[in-house]
Amino acid sequence: QVQLVELGGGMVQAGGSLRLSCAASGRTSSIYSMAWFRQAPGKEREIVARIQRFLINPFYADSVKGRFTISGDNAKNTLYLQMNNVRPEDTADYYCAASKTATARTSTQYEYWGQGTQVTVSS
């Protein structure tokens, strides 16, 4: 089993920055892909960014490309999402997810999930 705990959510003004972190524990050696998803009120969960083991092959949703950066610290078993130039439409609950599959793409392919952290961007 893998446990994920997100930190760093909160309120920020449009144009500002926020950094989310996700601490992984348990059988972290079984993780081959990690990702950030988000879900806004009344909308479906969508992927924001993902990255494979050894921090390779980052992927970003078009809506955040150039503004958000996914990174990690293997020594600390922690995943980050640096959010810059945030917009009101970035308001959502953000979830960290981990998969035992390196090529995981959709939410159903991620076996482990954090509890989520809320991000609110005011205009």
Side-chain angles (χ1 to χ4, degrees):
Q1 287 292 327
V2 173
Q3 294 79 41
L4 304 173
V5 177
E6 300 103 333
L7 292 174
M11 295 185 64
V12 60
Q13 287 190 331
S17 297
L18 205 61
R19 189 175 81 157
L20 307 182
S21 63
C22 171
S25 60
R27 295 191 61 186
T28 57
S29 61
S30 66
I31 297 173
Y32 280 82
S33 176
M34 293 192 74
W36 289 97
F37 287 80
R38 68 185 181 187
Q39 187 166 17
K43 294 188 177 181
E44 292 188 355
R45 189 171 295 189
E46 62 176 0
I47 192 164
V48 175
R50 64 172 180 261
I51 197 162
Q52 292 180 341
R53 191 181 181 92
F54 305 118
L55 307 179
I56 62 171
N57 297 330
F59 165 85
Y60 297 94
D62 287 342
S63 57
V64 306
K65 201 172 293 182
R67 300 188 297 121
F68 292 8
T69 302
I70 188 170
S71 64
D73 185 333
N74 286 328
K76 296 181 179 179
N77 288 327
T78 300
L79 183 74
Y80 302 100
L81 183 69
Q82 178 67 41
M83 305 167 62
N84 296 330
N85 191 23
V86 295
R87 303 167 180 169
E89 53 263 40
D90 294 322
T91 295
D93 291 326
Y94 283 72
Y95 297 88
C96 173
S99 174
K100 295 182 288 187
T101 305
T103 56
R105 294 288 183 268
T106 63
S107 60
T108 57
Q109 295 174 306
Y110 285 84
E111 296 93 343
Y112 307 106
W113 291 83
Q115 81 286 356
T117 186
Q118 189 174 53
V119 172
T120 302
V121 181
S122 60
S123 57

